[in-house]
Amino acid sequence: MTQAKARTAASPRAAARLDGGLARKLAEQLQGEARFDAFTRGRYSTDASIYQIMPAGVVLPRSAADVAATLRIAADHGAPVILRGGGTSQNGQPIGSGLVVDCSRHFNGIRAYDPEAGTITVEPGMVLERLNTRVKADGWFFPVEPSTATRCTIGGMAGNNSCGARSLRYGKMSDNVLAIDALLPGGEAFGFGLTGNAATGVTGSHHAEALAGRMRALAESHRDEIEARYPKVQRRVGGYNLDALIEPRPNLAHLLVGSEGTLAATTSVTLKLSRLPAHRVMGVCHFPSFRSAMETTQHIVALDPVAVELVDNNVLVLGADIPLFRATLADITRGKPNCLLLAEFAGDDLAALKRDLKRLAACMADHGHPDAVVEILEPARQRSVWEVREACLNIMMSMKGDAKPVSFIEDCAVPLEHLADYTDAVTAVFTKHGTRGTWYAHASVGCLHVRPILDMKDGGDVTRMRAIAEETSELVRRYKGSYSGEHGDGISRSEYIAPLFGPVLTRAFETVKDAFDPENRLNPGKIVRPLSMDDRSLFRFKPDYAVTEPVKPALDWSDWGGFGSAVEMCNNNGTCRKLAGGAMCPSYRATREEEHLTRGRANSLRLAISGQLGPDAFTSKAMKRTLDLCVSCKACRRECPTGVDMAKMKVEFLHHYHARHGLPLRDRLIGLMPHYAGIAAKLAPLLNLRDRHPALAALSERMVGLSAKRSLPRWRRPWSEQGEAAHPGDVTGDFRDVILFGDTFNRAFERENLEAAERVLRVAGYRLHRVFPSRGRRPLCCGRTWLASGQTDRARAEARRTLDTLLPYIRAGARVVGLEPSCLLTFRDEFSALLPGDETALLARQSLLFEELLAGDLAAGRIALPLADQGGRVAHLHGHCHQKSFGVMGSVETVLRSVPGLDVRVIESSCCGMAGAFGYGAETIETSFAMAELSLFPALRAAGPDDIVVADGTSCRHQIHDGLGLRAEHVARLLDDALVHAPPPRH
């Protein structure tokens, strides 16, 4: 194949004309799906790199047969095929102008597992964390663990030849892959590996045998060049692994590992598992300067740790401002170090590992750093530290503004003896070009992830990127390192294969590519005959990129630099794709659809507001569908390390969408609930008939869209403040002054919660000030029901009314306490976007959830609660999403654990699925229950008949009742029941 022909096929600007016949044939022959709409294509046009290439279509295969059919049909239509896993690559590997094949959606099962031999065969879409969860019970794990382990796929890891933090002990992907089954570009199946034909390591046709023979001969004929030019460092993943074929017993599968889907389409991977160590310990080494850490690394590695990971000053500073990581960083740092090295030791003898930590401390002292090691022995603390380390990239990407740490030289690897000099030289390159860099990751193997801070919207910075890349490439050659040490070549680094490996091996790589893929249909432009790394037409932010909508934001986005900048904070690293742990992103966990993912929504918004999805895309029905399953749980607000706040973005979107399309009746009714709640209470006997008569429930579904399968809250006589109104002068300014905020939901449907809270607060010694609205007789409200449908003008008016009423009291020192997380925490979140200013900030500081108030004052010794011993009774605690988002769950646990004899068990759960009005919708009720079934419902089914279920969210309690028939109660009622002088419990 000529180079000109290859470049034409590789260029996204030369994508084949794909007529409707392609879509029709795929629909006819696939068990899975093929999608060609603009929104889906847009969501698959990016990975975690700076690049964006709009694909012709997206295929979601269910089997190897689907992938084979896709290859055959694509070949008939002249369309390239790009295999994709989690889409977390940092150099543009899984994007292209042809058909993107997403294996993660369906093609993700286990083919075979031998727990005796410690081998497992999986489909390419299998997520690493799911695999390790499966084999953990048998004492195994797959030891190649990138920081993206919660969402990266085995196929993607094999494609990139991934490494992970513990490669010092376990090697990289090619050291742990036994065999690969794959498809050639025409759909022909074959297999390479030690599990194949005993003589050749090949399964499949004579064509595959011949291909294997050619590859062995090619490698042998280039033996001298391979031995001379391949870098002698462990972290070398650039080019093709011809060096694997000159070993005494070559495994041909290792030629496919690291090939980035340019040679064949993987259909299964057979892996060698490793035994889980019984114990791990960690030493957090503190350094006063970056160079001192780099100089000491080789001496720490000599102690035989499993990992030595760098956390630089940027992470320490930025991470301290991220609620998710603040406590962990405070726990592991002493004083103000410039950077940290995390040294992990692992094995079966805990006493020996503790001695390793003492040797580590002695080593640090020997090199001028006495008393500079913090020992971390507890597994839970170690997990927290690893969570910070694994989030280093995203923490650094949380920098606000257009300039961000950019990935293109981020995983060069050099021998440890040159590490300090190399990093100094690269820093000098950054200084020369007027920027600085961020550093983190695998100090143990000389592979530091370094990113210069550049603005990819700025043509001058793009020029600087090219200059930095070329100068760094030269430094890598000088220090005998590898330009690509872990993340692969992709678009960013494929150009630099030729300078590193030389012209002879570059031609050999072209021979490999042409032998497997003579028509250049598989992921063209990567590794061989590369695309240009600074071609701005390939960038996410192209030269003509501009945000055009919304013209007039409904919320204040000034802290972000505007709504567009807030949307652009998503760097596509895909933390939201994790399937366990934390709460983000529940709709993705239930559907596994990129559309219903924080990343997918952010990409859709960015493409829409920049005009890349056509006119009026921002307020289109397609955009509405993209955001429909966002339950506004706010988990992304806390758990997305770059701070993408999709709940707030949804409010902004709905404001503009309803302005264009009108407001549905259901949204009107729900929004107005605080206005008519008093009247509804008087009509309770009539309104409550709905749940007693199926015909009325069916009518409510047809007319309003409220699912007939869902019960509605029961209207009752509401809670109301009793006694005389307070005056600001009544506030003495000490901790006892509180205002109990009665939200609409607890007020109208569960007044017992507010009554219980009143009793507990009084017994604790607080003074309750009864505050009535400064305007009108209707009770105060947070505006949540209006915000849920984007009615920001009404919500702003409600916020102003509430703020004006409460300000005189909070200025005098009173604190506002509430029961419903979604309501009270609106004071600390959306109020500042509706009414930015010092007054709102004061209200935010003075507003606390019931459990926060008690936990803080109990810890300070200011109050005491006379609570009866519960005799070992079990309480299962489910946290409201907003409690988790604002880091309040610790307060709930603290309060519950203050009850004598109460066995508190926290449920590790995501959103319950109710999410305000979401769980009532006829169109969303099935998804609502699917979310609950992810973790909450299974945990509660295992509860004992006398156990207590605690859930502070009104919606959470309703979901538990409807789904399981269990009664959940607010923590206020549990405390009220436990008061020594309270009436006998109702249980």
Side-chain angles (χ1 to χ4, degrees):
M1 184 179 195
T2 67
Q3 183 162 328
K5 181 179 179 181
R7 286 195 179 277
T8 299
S11 172
R13 292 183 295 276
R17 294 180 181 275
L18 304 178
D19 57 29
L22 174 65
R24 185 178 64 255
K25 287 184 179 179
L26 288 170
E28 290 171 351
Q29 297 189 32
L30 298 185
Q31 286 184 315
E33 304 164 73
R35 301 175 184 173
F36 293 87
D37 64 282
F39 272 73
T40 297
R41 291 164 52 228
R43 284 187 282 270
Y44 283 87
S45 66
T46 53
D47 60 353
S49 72
I50 62 175
Y51 301 105
Q52 174 182 299
I53 303 174
M54 191 69 73
V58 176
V59 175
L60 306 173
R62 291 184 177 273
S63 63
D66 275 359
V67 179
T70 300
L71 289 169
R72 290 192 297 269
I73 294 168
D76 290 342
H77 287 75
V81 175
I82 303 96
L83 277 292
R84 180 180 174 111
T88 61
S89 301
Q90 295 181 39
N91 298 286
Q93 287 95 325
I95 60 175
S97 60
L99 291 174
V100 170
V101 180
D102 178 5
C103 296
S104 70
R105 177 67 181 88
H106 303 295
F107 195 26
N108 53 25
I110 294 175
R111 294 271 188 90
Y113 172 42
D114 186 343
E116 296 298 322
T119 62
I120 191 168
T121 301
V122 299
E123 292 169 341
M126 168 63 73
V127 171
L128 174 60
E129 186 178 66
R130 289 184 61 210
L131 184 156
N132 275 335
T133 299
R134 172 66 182 84
V135 302
K136 182 178 181 180
D138 298 314
W140 297 104
F141 80 121
F142 187 63
V144 182
E145 298 177 292
S147 61
T148 54
T150 58
R151 62 268 192 199
C152 68
T153 64
I154 297 299
M157 292 171 62
N160 275 2
N161 200 2
S162 296
C163 304
R166 298 184 175 99
S167 66
L168 194 63
R169 172 76 53 91
Y170 298 105
K172 53 186 184 281
M173 200 72 183
S174 56
D175 299 309
N176 295 275
V177 169
L178 297 176
I180 290 179
D181 287 337
L183 300 166
L184 292 171
E188 177 186 345
F190 72 101
F192 281 171
L194 299 181
T195 60
N197 183 295
T200 66
V202 180
T203 57
S205 66
H206 292 301
H207 180 198
E209 291 275 6
L211 192 59
R214 288 177 61 188
M215 294 301 102
R216 290 194 197 93
L218 178 69
E220 187 58 38
S221 68
H222 288 77
R223 176 182 287 271
D224 291 344
E225 194 75 7
I226 290 170
E227 290 177 342
R229 298 301 296 255
Y230 272 63
K232 304 302 187 291
V233 292
Q234 185 204 57
R235 292 302 191 90
R236 195 283 307 160
V237 303
Y240 293 127
N241 293 330
L242 286 174
D243 57 332
L245 302 189
I246 61 172
E247 295 176 354
R249 189 187 177 202
N251 184 340
L252 283 156
H254 296 168
L255 181 62
L256 299 182
V257 174
S259 65
E260 301 184 1
T262 62
L263 303 181
T266 298
T267 56
S268 72
V269 186
T270 300
L271 305 170
K272 175 181 67 177
L273 302 173
S274 294
R275 281 293 178 190
L276 272 169
H279 305 284
R280 299 184 193 274
V281 298
M282 180 182 288
V284 181
C285 304
H286 292 50
F287 294 90
S289 68
F290 184 78
R291 183 175 176 90
S292 65
M294 298 299 95
E295 291 174 333
T296 311
T297 296
Q298 58 186 314
H299 305 296
I300 295 175
V301 169
L303 302 176
D304 194 29
V306 174
V308 181
E309 295 287 293
L310 170 70
V311 175
D312 89 335
N313 192 256
N314 290 289
V315 175
L316 296 179
V317 173
L318 291 169
D321 286 335
I322 298 175
L324 191 61
F325 305 121
R326 187 178 297 131
T328 299
L329 288 172
D331 177 42
I332 66 173
T333 55
R334 303 291 181 266
K336 291 187 177 295
N338 174 270
C339 60
L340 309 173
L341 288 178
L342 312 177
E344 181 183 89
F345 298 87
D348 295 332
D349 185 342
L350 182 58
L353 296 179
K354 290 180 178 179
R355 289 194 294 272
D356 285 335
L357 290 180
K358 301 307 177 189
R359 291 168 54 227
L360 175 65
C363 175
M364 288 286 289
D366 289 344
H367 290 88
H369 310 294
D371 300 318
V373 178
V374 173
E375 296 184 357
I376 309 292
L377 303 178
E378 303 86 350
R381 288 178 73 200
Q382 291 179 49
R383 282 194 298 272
S384 296
V385 177
W386 276 112
E387 285 172 3
V388 172
R389 158 58 196 93
E390 289 163 359
C392 278
L393 167 60
N394 283 336
I395 289 173
M396 291 189 300
M397 295 301 287
S398 69
M399 294 180 182
K400 291 193 168 93
D402 289 337
K404 295 281 196 299
V406 178
S407 172
F408 62 98
I409 58 166
E410 83 288 348
D411 68 341
C412 303
V414 298
L416 288 183
E417 62 267 26
H418 301 312
L419 187 58
D421 290 339
Y422 166 75
T423 54
D424 275 356
V426 173
T427 299
V429 170
F430 295 162
T431 301
K432 171 185 172 182
H433 292 287
T435 187
R436 61 185 178 87
T438 62
W439 304 79
Y440 70 99
H442 318 303
S444 59
V445 286
C447 181
L448 294 179
H449 296 336
V450 53
R451 290 173 168 237
I453 298 171
L454 299 167
D455 177 4
M456 290 295 95
K457 296 177 181 177
D458 184 307
D461 273 10
V462 174
T463 300
R464 279 184 279 277
M465 178 180 74
R466 164 68 75 175
I468 290 169
E470 291 179 351
E471 292 173 36
T472 302
S473 173
E474 183 57 40
L475 287 172
V476 169
R477 286 197 298 277
R478 183 195 308 170
Y479 289 111
K480 303 184 185 306
S482 172
Y483 193 64
S484 184
E486 177 179 23
H487 294 157
D489 295 317
I491 300 174
S492 300
R493 283 194 287 273
S494 290
E495 281 188 84
Y496 295 92
I497 289 174
L500 181 72
F501 288 93
V504 174
L505 287 177
T506 299
R507 286 194 296 274
F509 293 157
E510 292 173 356
T511 301
V512 174
K513 169 69 171 175
D514 294 345
F516 278 88
D517 182 20
E519 294 299 319
N520 195 24
R521 296 298 178 199
L522 295 180
N523 204 10
K526 323 292 168 60
I527 299 181
V528 167
R529 305 178 185 101
L531 299 166
S532 175
M533 59 90 72
D534 58 347
D535 181 349
R536 295 187 70 190
S537 71
L538 306 179
F539 281 19
R540 190 182 306 183
F541 302 116
K542 296 171 171 48
D544 60 350
Y545 179 88
V547 172
T548 58
E549 296 185 79
V551 176
K552 184 180 179 182
L555 301 176
D556 178 67
W557 297 94
S558 57
D559 285 349
W560 302 83
F563 179 66
S565 295
V567 171
E568 291 165 7
M569 287 299 293
C570 176
N571 73 336
N572 274 18
N573 196 252
T575 304
C576 43
R577 285 177 64 95
K578 62 185 179 182
L579 298 173
M584 181 176 69
C585 176
S587 50
Y588 174 74
R589 294 184 184 187
T591 67
R592 305 290 173 87
E593 287 279 4
E594 183 77 17
E595 177 181 23
H596 303 306
L597 177 68
T598 304
R599 179 178 76 177
R601 296 177 185 120
N603 273 324
S604 298
L605 284 167
R606 177 181 55 80
L607 291 164
I609 64 177
S610 58
Q612 298 182 68
L613 297 178
D616 300 320
F618 177 61
T619 52
S620 68
K621 292 185 178 180
M623 180 58 75
K624 174 71 160 49
R625 286 192 297 272
T626 300
L627 287 163
D628 271 345
L629 298 193
C630 171
V631 294
S632 298
C633 64
K634 297 181 187 281
C636 54
R637 177 189 174 278
R638 178 177 176 84
E639 295 178 26
C640 172
T642 60
V644 173
D645 191 342
M646 192 52 60
K648 192 175 292 184
M649 291 177 191
K650 185 175 182 179
V651 173
E652 182 73 47
F653 162 76
L654 287 175
H655 170 87
H656 299 280
Y657 179 83
H658 290 316
R660 177 183 174 189
H661 297 280
L663 195 65
L665 176 60
R666 184 173 67 197
D667 289 343
R668 292 179 186 275
L669 288 174
I670 292 171
L672 284 168
M673 185 184 298
H675 280 269
Y676 63 72
I679 298 173
K682 298 176 181 178
L683 300 175
L686 178 62
L687 295 177
N688 291 338
L689 288 175
R690 184 265 189 191
D691 289 346
R692 298 181 184 178
H693 298 280
L696 293 177
L699 181 64
S700 74
E701 180 169 322
R702 286 196 302 273
M703 293 184 63
V704 188
L706 297 171
S707 175
K709 300 176 184 177
R710 173 74 70 185
S711 70
L712 298 183
R714 293 184 62 78
W715 294 100
R716 306 171 53 210
R717 177 177 60 82
W719 176 82
S720 62
E721 296 87 338
Q722 303 297 315
E724 296 296 322
H727 297 281
D730 299 333
V731 178
T732 63
D734 69 14
F735 75 91
R736 294 180 180 83
D737 295 305
V738 298
I739 297 166
L740 181 58
F741 172 71
D743 62 275
T744 300
F745 308 106
N746 280 300
R747 183 187 293 271
F749 306 123
E750 296 180 271
R751 66 175 183 270
E752 294 88 350
N753 294 333
L754 288 162
E755 292 165 354
E758 286 182 300
R759 287 191 290 270
V760 172
L761 292 172
R762 286 200 183 94
V763 170
Y766 293 102
R767 289 188 294 270
L768 273 63
H769 298 277
R770 303 198 179 281
V771 174
F772 294 87
S774 58
R775 297 191 302 275
R777 299 177 60 187
R778 182 171 56 82
L780 296 177
C781 177
C782 68
R784 166 64 49 195
T785 58
W786 285 289
L787 287 168
S789 54
Q791 298 181 71
T792 54
D793 292 338
R794 284 183 175 271
R796 186 175 290 105
E798 195 65 38
R800 184 76 264 171
R801 176 173 175 264
T802 299
L803 185 61
D804 288 346
T805 300
L806 295 176
L807 268 175
Y809 299 91
I810 60 177
R811 281 173 174 157
R815 292 180 287 178
V816 180
V817 59
L819 302 189
E820 174 57 36
S822 64
C823 292
L824 188 283
L825 293 173
T826 303
F827 297 167
R828 299 202 333 224
D829 190 7
E830 287 90 352
F831 266 36
S832 64
L834 293 166
L835 297 171
D838 293 340
E839 294 176 342
T840 309
L842 176 61
L843 175 61
R845 290 193 299 271
Q846 294 290 92
S847 298
L848 299 167
L849 283 171
F850 175 78
E851 55 268 21
E852 286 184 287
L853 178 80
L854 294 180
D857 287 345
L858 282 169
R862 291 194 288 258
I863 64 169
L865 284 172
L867 301 171
D869 192 293
Q870 301 300 297
R873 195 172 186 194
V874 174
H876 301 275
L877 173 61
H878 165 68
H880 187 284
C881 292
H882 295 186
Q883 285 176 306
K884 296 170 184 174
S885 175
F886 285 83
V888 181
M889 284 301 296
S891 297
V892 192
E893 291 184 59
T894 297
V895 170
L896 288 174
R897 295 188 195 284
S898 72
V899 180
L902 188 67
D903 181 2
V904 181
R905 301 179 185 179
V906 180
I907 301 171
E908 182 67 34
S909 58
S910 184
C911 179
C912 74
M914 196 65 183
F918 181 87
Y920 293 99
E923 74 283 6
T924 52
I925 188 170
E926 297 304 328
T927 304
S928 170
F929 281 125
M931 290 180 186
E933 290 291 354
L934 291 171
S935 50
L936 176 60
F937 281 3
L940 289 180
R941 288 192 184 100
D946 294 326
D947 292 356
I948 308 169
V949 180
V950 180
D952 284 353
T954 297
S955 296
C956 306
R957 294 191 294 273
H958 200 123
Q959 179 79 308
I960 292 167
H961 174 269
D962 276 7
L964 299 177
L966 297 176
R967 174 175 168 265
E969 61 184 43
H970 194 283
V971 67
R973 296 189 71 183
L974 185 149
L975 293 178
D976 184 36
D977 284 348
L979 289 174
V980 171
H981 300 296
R986 299 179 300 277
H987 307 297

